Amino acid sequence: MTRIVVLIAVCWCLLAASASAQTIHAVLVGDTTDPTIGVGITENLRKMRNFFRQAQTEGELNIVVTEVKDAAFNCPSIVKAVKALPVQADDTVVFYYSGHGFRRVNTQTQFPEFDCRRTQDPDRAELAGVANLVLKPPAGSTTPPRLVIAIADTCNRQIELPEQAVGPAAAGVRPSRKAAFRRLFLQYSGTLMMSGSTPGEFSWYMNSGLQIGGFFTNQLLRAIDSKMATQVADVRWEDIATDASKKIFIPRPEEETTQTPQFAMLNLSAQSAPR
């Protein structure tokens, strides 16, 4: 489920700028037509596209972006987009989901399931499942991609199916960030998963004002910018995830509430020297 607050509560191919054989595959998924949080989700996707354009240009990275949104948004399309990635062993895969989410009584992980069903059909997709799907060796390869990052800005509360989730569920010249971008996407290996709320919590979106979009997505992007600025070539996903997972205070008119993002790492590490 996703929550709204006037506040609102949750949950192209870029031209290669580098000759590097390593590719960063970014899959951006958003329920942009949802009547309660669609505006915030559209803004989330815009911010993520902009982030990857910056990474491509400033980091001189080879980035390919795939989007699942608008009328194409559903569980099978999400799974199909992930399965279709032409991933090689030295590549990076970043998966990002913005939309409603929930957990079932028998959910086995701390991460949410996506409410991408649209109807009462049995199709399912969840953050942990997508990460596992990416980690399966691609056709013709014996190893999974080098780095997998899976992110969901969505609610993580239990609901009783077949209830349908509805709302309330959320320029300038820069110093060179080339080394920071290349470290994050080319030197790291392992798996990092992040979601906007811990089990039992909502994630919140704002549909108007300066902070339009998901509170978690905004906090994540601020954490990335901050760490790249202060740590530069020594920037660490571990530190970004820690800052992005700090408790978020939601200024609801009726009463202030909070959400607590979460993350999990598996064999996440970086090489000390540039690739």
Side-chain angles (χ1 to χ4, degrees), residues 111-140:
F111 294 99
E113 182 173 340
F114 309 145
D115 191 6
C116 49
R117 299 162 295 157
R118 287 298 191 195
T119 63
Q120 302 307 323
D121 66 61
D123 293 313
R124 298 178 61 169
E126 57 182 348
L127 191 66
V130 165
N132 287 333
L133 191 62
V134 174
L135 287 167
K136 290 182 178 179

Side-chain angles (χ1 to χ4, degrees), residues 158-177:
Q158 181 179 311
I159 65 171
E160 295 182 6
L161 297 180
E163 175 186 343
Q164 184 175 358
V166 296
V173 178
R174 297 174 182 263
S176 174
R177 301 191 294 176

